[in-house]
Amino acid sequence: MRRDRGPKGLWQYKDQWIGVEAGRSGFYRYWYDDGSGRVKRKALAAVDLEAAKEELVDILGAPAPSSRDPREVYLFAVLKHYQDHYAEPKGYKQMAAVRRASELVYTAFQSFMGAPRVSDLTRLNQRRVWAHMAAENGLSAKSIMTYMIAVRAAVHYASVPQLITIADEQVETQLLDAPVTVFCNQAEIAEHIGGEMSKPREYIPTFAELGKWIDAIEEDADFRFVMIMLNTCARNEAIFDLRLSKQRNTEFGTLDLNPVGRRQTKKRRPVIRVTTNLAAWFDHWKDDKPVGQYQDTVEKRLNKLGKPTLDDEGEVTDIGLGMPEMTCYTLRHFMATNMRRASFPVSREQRSKWLGHKVSEGSTTTDWYEKFDPDYLEEPMRATEEIIAKLQKFTKRNLFAPTTQADGKVRVIDGGKV
């Protein structure tokens, strides 16, 4: 057996080390081959030692740190951990976004330092990363914010114990003892790079336009997504995460849009009241996971629906439904806007809770008890039923499951308001 004689060469990483050869330029990586019992070498492309170190790290992969201290854990180990065990199961769109964020951040750090550790995400360094993304990649403040949000999510994910599957066995892993602050404020980013803030979507379809759009849907998974969105105003990802066996409370008629174990973020996922319409669709579909297809697959089809068709020259060959601004996320804006126009008042606080916006009033304890109150979020639930009943008049497709009627009536909950 080979005896370990301590550090080798100019720099050692894992079981390999960097060195030079007399009479030859450049750097080599060396390792001991147990099969032949000899030391082997291979030339590195790097022309200086620091670059050679980074190249060796890239070849052998990020290290398994001896501790969870952010000063020792490589940032790209954290991003890869998040990509492999969280983003990839979500589908190609999520995985591609994290991978792109990793590439952009890595290139930016390369412009002023070597491979970063998590502790290198200082406020100053993050500003340098923003500036590099804006100057070299032409990214807007909103795009930079989106990629930094992916970095922040990865850091938080790595700081919480996760169960991952290795060789068909679940293993608990945690890369970081604690997260570091990742700044994702679009206004701050825009001010630093000299860019502009993105403007909120202003397009809200009419009932007639939305009815025409719904009638054009062909895939069942797409229609299911639309019905859940109309009935819940949930954000896209919450709908694809939905597992009824774990999130639906049939006794109290509620739906928890935040899965067990998921940390609440700025985009809160509330507990809402299940409408009569949605309850009937759940019973009709008989699926624990109502939307089974990948998020990016469904979103791609719905976002394309109604938009004009272009030829190879960029010329319009078919105007489609004449709704170029329509996306699947527009449904949330449509419902939120029309909820304010309902025939009976829906308070701002009730709308905010239904949409998952932060409500400063009340306490955590009060919120918990409210969820079991028959009147909990009754107003937005009734408004939602009214909006869908009105929308039914503008679409040929049945928006009500076979067990319900499109008569605009709302259910009465025992003990609730009449």
Side-chain angles (χ1 to χ4, degrees):
M1 181 180 291
R2 171 174 66 97
R3 185 174 63 181
D4 189 352
R5 297 179 179 176
K8 308 170 185 69
L10 301 173
W11 189 70
Q12 185 175 352
Y13 177 65
K14 292 188 176 180
D15 292 327
Q16 296 193 22
W17 60 96
I18 296 172
V20 294
E21 289 290 313
R24 297 185 181 183
S25 60
F27 296 89
Y28 292 78
R29 62 183 177 97
Y30 301 81
W31 68 96
Y32 184 85
D33 182 63
D34 289 318
S36 63
R38 301 176 60 185
V39 172
K40 293 191 174 182
R41 72 167 185 257
K42 192 168 184 178
L44 294 170
V47 295
D48 62 73
L49 182 57
E50 288 303 313
K53 292 178 182 179
E54 293 174 17
E55 186 176 347
L56 185 60
V57 170
D58 288 339
I59 292 171
L60 299 184
S66 57
S67 77
R68 299 171 181 171
D69 192 317
R71 292 170 296 183
E72 295 192 28
V73 182
Y74 278 89
L75 175 59
F76 301 104
V78 166
L79 290 167
K80 191 69 167 62
H81 177 62
Y82 181 71
Q83 177 182 314
D84 291 344
H85 303 295
Y86 181 85
E88 187 171 0
K90 295 289 184 182
Y92 175 78
K93 183 176 180 180
Q94 286 260 357
M95 183 178 64
V98 178
R99 186 169 59 227
R100 179 58 174 156
S102 300
E103 293 171 353
L104 290 167
V105 172
Y106 176 78
T107 303
F109 267 105
Q110 286 280 75
S111 68
F112 60 87
M113 65 176 291
R117 290 174 170 79
V118 176
S119 60
D120 290 320
L121 281 170
T122 62
R123 192 164 196 157
L124 177 61
N125 283 346
Q126 289 183 54
R127 287 181 162 233
R128 290 170 174 167
V129 168
W130 303 343
H132 188 276
M133 288 182 181
E136 300 299 324
N137 303 102
L139 297 182
S140 65
K142 182 179 180 181
S143 295
I144 294 171
M145 177 192 70
T146 300
Y147 290 122
M148 295 306 294
I149 287 174
V151 174
R152 180 178 64 185
V155 170
H156 280 279
Y157 184 82
S159 64
V160 176
Q162 304 293 341
L163 292 177
I164 64 175
T165 302
I166 300 178
D168 297 326
E169 291 187 8
Q170 281 199 321
V171 178
E172 184 174 312
T173 182
Q174 182 179 349
L175 299 189
L176 292 171
D177 280 328
V180 298
T181 302
V182 179
F183 300 93
C184 307
N185 185 282
Q186 186 183 165
E188 181 183 353
I189 295 172
E191 181 180 359
H192 182 68
I193 67 174
E196 296 182 355
M197 292 275 290
S198 62
K199 296 180 180 179
R201 294 183 181 93
E202 297 180 355
Y203 172 71
I204 302 294
T206 64
F207 278 85
E209 288 174 332
L210 185 55
K212 181 173 62 174
W213 185 81
I214 291 174
D215 281 338
I217 295 173
E218 297 180 355
E219 297 289 335
D220 181 57
D222 300 356
F223 178 71
R224 291 188 181 197
F225 171 87
V226 169
M227 292 313 304
I228 297 173
M229 172 70 85
L230 291 174
N231 280 278
T232 65
C233 281
R235 295 180 177 88
N236 295 6
E237 188 173 298
I239 295 175
F240 292 96
D241 285 345
L242 195 60
R243 298 293 189 281
L244 298 184
S245 59
K246 298 181 179 180
Q247 296 173 251
R248 183 186 182 189
N249 187 321
T250 54
E251 180 181 358
F252 292 100
T254 57
L255 186 67
D256 190 343
L257 294 172
N258 194 50
V260 176
R262 177 187 176 274
R263 182 182 62 85
Q264 284 283 18
T265 65
K266 185 177 180 181
K267 295 183 177 180
R268 285 189 62 83
R269 296 190 188 181
V271 177
I272 64 170
R273 183 71 66 185
V274 179
T275 64
T276 304
N277 184 13
L278 187 57
W281 279 117
F282 285 158
D283 294 340
H284 176 70
W285 292 328
K286 294 182 173 63
D287 281 332
D288 186 48
K289 181 177 170 58
V291 185
Q293 292 191 15
Y294 282 126
Q295 178 174 351
D296 54 292
T297 302
V298 175
E299 286 181 347
K300 184 176 181 179
R301 285 196 299 257
L302 288 175
N303 290 340
K304 184 179 179 181
L305 188 66
K307 290 181 172 55
T309 303
L310 306 178
D311 59 19
D312 294 337
E313 305 298 326
E315 298 294 328
V316 177
T317 58
D318 184 353
I319 63 170
L321 300 178
M323 302 169 66
E325 297 179 85
M326 182 71 189
T327 69
C328 54
Y329 201 77
T330 306
L331 297 168
R332 177 175 160 89
H333 297 283
F334 173 85
M335 294 300 292
T337 299
N338 284 283
M339 194 174 287
R340 295 196 296 269
R341 302 169 180 169
S343 61
F344 53 89
V346 180
S347 69
R348 182 185 183 92
E349 180 184 355
Q350 292 276 293
R351 295 198 310 268
S352 295
K353 285 186 176 182
W354 188 268
L355 292 167
H357 295 160
K358 185 177 180 181
V359 179
S360 57
E361 300 175 13
S363 66
T364 303
T365 305
T366 302
D367 289 344
W368 187 87
Y369 281 112
E370 276 187 349
K371 295 165 190 174
F372 305 104
D373 188 321
D375 295 334
Y376 174 70
L377 293 183
E378 177 75 5
E379 294 170 1
M381 185 194 76
R382 291 176 58 198
T384 298
E385 298 273 19
E386 180 182 285
I387 294 167
I388 295 177
K390 181 178 178 180
L391 182 60
Q392 181 67 85
K393 299 175 182 178
F394 296 89
T395 177
K396 299 176 182 177
R397 190 164 197 160
N398 198 345
L399 303 184
F400 290 79
T403 54
T404 59
Q405 298 296 322
D407 56 7
K409 293 180 179 179
V410 297
R411 64 177 178 175
V412 176
I413 301 174
D414 291 339
K417 296 177 181 177
V418 178

